[in-house]
Amino acid sequence: LLPDLKLMLSEEDNTALREFCSVLNEVVIAEVLDGLEADEAWRVLKSCDIDRQAEIFEHFPPRLQMDMVESIDRSHLSKIVEAMSPDDRIDLLEHLEEDQIEQLLPLIAQAERDEIRKMLSYPEYSCGSIMTTEYASLPENITVREALDRVRQQAPERETIYYLYVVDESRHLHGVITLRELVLARPHQLLSTVMRRDFVSVRVTDDQEVAANEIARFDLLAIPVLDEDSRLVGIITHDDVIDVVVEEATEDA
């Protein structure tokens, strides 16, 4: 694909570049773009919308991300950072210098800015530093039918909806239910009667290895992260745990 992509760039074939970015999987696109110079990679990314740019950018290796950060204006970079998933966004910012972060944050929307500062405050290699805040949550005093309606509304904004977390108004975690269990439950049952209260969780300050071990031990796709007051602040997904395992194995080697 790389020779074809370089030909598209030389011919300034924007239609073909747009199709390249829209048809292929974002992981494949990121791997191909890794063979280009940073400025060339940006030319390719600019052929698609900002959300797609963020999806592809998240899969670049840190080296290429840093090269590309240096070759783009802060305004454009801030839009990509806003569109990135919270955990990948923090991974990027942790590789930047302090002054680069301070230059970037004022350009980011207030809500994302506050979340970024909070997540950057967690210790390196802690569960808080690798979690995402894009989880699906529900109150326990609604019916299964109402819960399914709410899941449909939340789904486009969430990283995963396989696990649904049942919380109160203060975000204290009371139970967990899988999407499969919710679909199979009777529509008029209350969520409080079908959710599981014996869930596994980690603390935001726990070492990331704790999350990796618990996900492997209980064969989970994600694990909830609680603060010191047992409030749900995020989840760690299995793909982030794979990254942790690779990092730890590399360090040991």
Side-chain angles (χ1 to χ4, degrees), residues 17-236:
L17 290 173
R18 193 177 305 112
E19 186 174 355
F20 171 82
C21 288
S22 62
V23 173
L24 295 176
N25 182 280
E26 57 269 19
V27 175
V28 175
I29 296 172
E31 290 174 349
V32 176
L33 294 187
D34 194 20
L36 298 176
E37 296 295 327
D39 60 332
E40 293 177 317
W42 274 128
R43 286 176 58 197
V44 177
L45 287 187
K46 285 178 181 178
S47 65
C48 55
D49 62 45
I50 201 71
D51 289 331
R52 185 61 171 166
Q53 289 181 35
E55 288 175 353
I56 299 167
F57 190 88
E58 288 174 353
H59 292 284
F60 287 145
R63 170 195 52 75
L64 181 56
Q65 286 185 341
M66 292 303 99
D67 289 345
M68 297 185 74
V69 164
E70 294 299 327
S71 61
I72 186 177
D73 65 87
R74 291 292 177 263
S75 177
H76 189 173
L77 180 59
S78 68
K79 293 175 183 175
I80 290 178
V81 171
E82 280 185 21
M84 292 174 71
S85 58
D87 49 341
D88 290 312
R89 178 194 297 157
I90 295 303
D91 285 343
L92 169 65
L93 294 177
E94 285 179 341
H95 285 91
L96 299 182
E97 299 293 336
E98 189 69 32
D99 61 325
Q100 290 178 305
I101 296 175
E102 292 306 318
Q103 290 173 18
L104 192 59
L105 285 182
L107 303 175
I108 296 174
Q110 183 67 47
E112 282 80 6
R113 193 188 319 163
D114 292 342
E115 182 179 280
I116 287 170
R117 289 192 184 279
K118 184 174 183 179
M119 292 185 70
L120 285 174
S121 70
Y122 295 128
E124 190 176 9
Y125 306 121
S126 69
C127 288
S129 69
I130 63 168
M131 71 181 185
T132 178
T133 55
E134 294 178 338
Y135 56 85
S137 62
L138 300 165
E140 62 180 305
N141 59 347
I142 60 174
T143 65
V144 168
R145 186 190 302 277
E146 292 171 323
L148 286 169
D149 289 338
R150 296 198 186 197
V151 171
R152 289 190 194 96
Q153 295 172 1
Q154 294 184 42
E157 304 289 324
R158 303 297 181 256
E159 182 161 334
T160 178
I161 58 168
Y162 183 76
Y163 294 123
L164 308 166
Y165 301 96
V166 185
V167 298
D168 60 23
E169 293 180 356
S170 300
R171 297 201 325 277
H172 292 106
L173 184 58
H174 291 186
V176 178
I177 185 170
T178 68
L179 184 59
R180 175 185 173 84
E181 290 167 341
L182 189 65
V183 169
L184 294 176
R186 292 192 297 273
H188 297 294
Q189 282 184 287
L190 284 176
L191 201 55
S192 58
T193 65
V194 294
M195 70 183 188
R196 287 181 284 114
R197 299 180 185 273
D198 57 336
F199 52 84
V200 181
S201 64
V202 293
R203 294 289 177 179
V204 71
T205 53
D206 285 344
D207 189 278
Q208 59 186 11
E209 279 193 87
V210 174
N213 292 336
E214 292 296 87
I215 285 178
R217 179 186 176 196
F218 292 97
D219 197 21
L220 302 173
L221 294 177
I223 193 167
V225 182
L226 310 182
D227 66 10
E228 61 277 4
D229 297 317
S230 296
R231 291 174 301 194
L232 181 62
V233 291
I235 62 172
I236 296 174

